[in-house]
Amino acid sequence: PFKGGVLHTEYASLLTLLEFVEMNGKIFKGKEIEIFGDNIHLISQVNKKIPCTYEFTALLKKALDYRKKYKYKLGWVPQENNPSTSLLFD
């Protein structure tokens, strides 16, 4: 149930990746998972640096529930240095 918009899309991407990790648990078991993105608002919310607005609380809860299971780290990378977007159309 994503309404669109950048932050909803970013949460959808993160949750999809974490679902992939869960579905492929044998591959990721015992490995340190580091995820990087360029949306500082999402990263700050998941890392509990800024409060979450009401409309994102359910999505944040899901991301934090996954963190309890997989202890992933979520870090920031500048958009121009993010290979998942900067190399997308190269």
Side-chain angles (χ1 to χ4, degrees):
F2 296 100
K3 298 177 184 177
V6 175
L7 199 52
H8 272 108
T9 303
E10 296 285 338
Y11 265 109
S13 297
L14 175 61
L15 293 173
T16 300
L17 176 61
L18 294 170
E19 186 175 315
F20 176 82
V21 169
E22 182 173 56
M23 292 173 61
N24 295 280
K26 290 180 182 180
I27 297 170
F28 294 98
K29 186 175 183 176
K31 296 194 174 153
E32 185 175 309
I33 300 170
E34 294 183 55
I35 302 168
F36 292 90
D38 57 35
N39 189 311
I40 194 67
H41 297 289
L42 170 82
I43 294 163
S44 296
Q45 287 178 11
V46 175
N47 289 335
K48 299 180 181 180
K49 302 287 185 192
I50 63 171
C52 180
T53 59
Y54 176 77
E55 68 180 310
F56 299 110
T57 54
L59 302 174
L60 176 59
K61 182 183 179 325
K62 287 181 183 182
L64 294 175
D65 287 346
Y66 275 117
R67 180 172 269 173
K68 289 177 188 173
K69 289 182 187 179
Y70 301 106
K71 310 261 189 284
Y72 66 88
K73 294 179 183 178
L74 187 59
W76 180 77
V77 62
Q79 187 173 23
E80 61 273 6
N81 295 341
N82 187 345
S84 68
T85 56
S86 62
L87 299 175
L88 192 60
F89 299 107
D90 289 350

